[in-house]
Amino acid sequence: MAEAELSKRLLRLALLVRTFDDTFSRAEDSVDYKKHLKRIEDEQQDFGGVYEGSPDVTKTIRECGNKIIHAEDVRPVYETQDERDDPEAMWGMNGTVELEGTRRDQWKIVIDIHSYVEGVLELINYNE
């Protein structure tokens, strides 16, 4: 159930952030918003990594959101401190999600959910 909830909430977050970004990017006084966004993305530098496809897609909040929205496969990444083959091994999500899709081209990326959500939280504090 956790994976389904994570996917659903991640998609909802990406849609809300895209709407937020569209609204403020198109406003008459968008210069300050764009500076705010650029500062966040420059400080973070990257919200994940790319296995296949354009190397810049995890560098912006908007592109990460686009990939979340258009992903055909979403897989939380698990890890263990135990031996991998041990039937008693304890596994847990490590905070990253692998995404695959074919919108425009074939791509495979990983998004660090902690970094992405921190960037989103900073972004929505615009004008406070």
Side-chain angles (χ1 to χ4, degrees):
M1 286 178 41
E3 287 184 15
E5 276 301 307
L6 174 64
S7 295
K8 186 168 61 174
R9 291 174 190 258
L10 194 56
L11 177 59
R12 186 166 195 271
L13 178 63
L15 290 168
L16 290 170
V17 171
R18 270 286 304 273
T19 303
F20 182 91
D21 185 59
D22 286 346
T23 301
F24 281 98
S25 291
R26 294 179 181 149
E28 286 183 29
D29 59 345
S30 66
V31 173
D32 288 338
Y33 170 76
K34 289 177 182 175
K35 286 180 187 175
H36 173 72
L37 176 60
K38 182 169 177 15
R39 180 189 54 76
I40 293 166
E41 292 173 342
D42 286 349
E43 286 175 4
Q44 184 63 39
Q45 294 188 353
D46 216 336
F47 297 99
V50 177
Y51 299 122
E52 182 179 317
S54 173
D56 295 334
V57 297
T58 60
K59 297 197 180 294
T60 69
I61 292 171
R62 183 175 186 88
E63 280 300 316
C64 286
N66 287 343
K67 294 304 184 201
I68 293 167
I69 291 166
H70 296 294
E72 296 165 6
D73 190 16
V74 178
R75 294 179 308 277
V77 178
Y78 290 83
E79 60 185 24
T80 183
Q81 300 296 321
D82 302 322
E83 291 292 321
R84 291 183 70 83
D85 299 327
D86 182 354
E88 302 292 320
M90 302 286 288
W91 290 83
M93 292 181 196
N94 73 0
T96 60
V97 176
E98 293 178 342
L99 306 167
E100 287 186 46
T102 55
R103 175 104 176 165
R104 293 199 180 107
D105 61 350
Q106 179 94 20
W107 47 268
K108 295 177 185 175
I109 68 168
V110 62
I111 293 178
D112 181 312
I113 299 303
H114 301 287
S115 297
Y116 178 69
V117 170
E118 284 177 13
V120 167
L121 290 173
E122 277 191 65
L123 181 65
I124 63 174
N125 281 326
Y126 176 67
N127 268 348
E128 282 194 4

